[in-house]
Amino acid sequence: MTESREEAIKRLQQQSASDLEARTTAEKSAELTGQKVAGQAYKIIAELLGGVFVGLAFGFVADWVLGTRPWGLIGGVLLGFALSIYMARRTANRLMAQAKAQGTTAPSEPYVEAGEDEER
């Protein structure tokens, strides 16, 4: 059975429309994944900086109230740094657990600088 010219054109249009939709959906999915990963990275950076700044503020207040300048500031920064490392590590572990549960783990690849020999 041969199809008429109009039927063939209609079939090709439907096929090209579905192919275009599939390609557009894949591109949007990749873009959203990239935005999600960037957002998670910014969250970790904010946790690192926020912990230090909060510790700095608490140390400043402790120095002002107790008159222990500069020990409150030093202790506050150190405690804030430790807290920020803990929070960033917890967030990274949660993200890794989510990726493992989704089955989206990527194989690890060593970092190689441009121009370095790989045989080292």
Side-chain angles (χ1 to χ4, degrees):
M1 242 202 227
T2 61
E3 58 186 348
S4 69
R5 182 178 178 142
E6 290 86 25
E7 291 173 344
I9 290 173
K10 191 174 187 179
R11 181 181 50 83
L12 287 173
Q13 285 176 342
Q14 289 174 349
Q15 185 179 10
S16 65
S18 66
D19 289 346
L20 179 62
E21 183 180 338
R23 186 177 301 160
T24 305
T25 303
E27 289 173 0
K28 285 181 183 178
S29 175
E31 183 178 333
L32 289 175
T33 301
Q35 290 174 355
K36 184 177 177 183
V37 169
Q40 292 166 347
Y42 285 132
K43 180 179 180 184
I44 291 175
I45 291 171
E47 287 175 350
L48 288 171
L49 293 176
V52 172
F53 287 134
V54 167
L56 185 69
F58 280 129
F60 181 76
V61 169
D63 278 341
W64 184 59
V65 170
L66 302 174
T68 58
R69 193 163 289 151
W71 296 109
L73 198 61
I74 293 170
V77 168
L78 291 176
L79 286 174
F81 179 70
L83 179 65
S84 66
I85 293 294
Y86 170 75
M87 290 183 343
R89 174 75 190 244
R90 188 182 63 186
T91 300
N93 285 341
R94 182 179 48 80
L95 294 174
M96 288 185 340
Q98 285 176 353
K100 190 178 281 189
Q102 292 174 354
T104 57
T105 57
S108 62
E109 296 180 16
Y111 176 74
V112 178
E113 288 279 339
E116 280 188 5
D117 292 334
E118 292 185 21
E119 296 179 12
R120 264 204 252 177

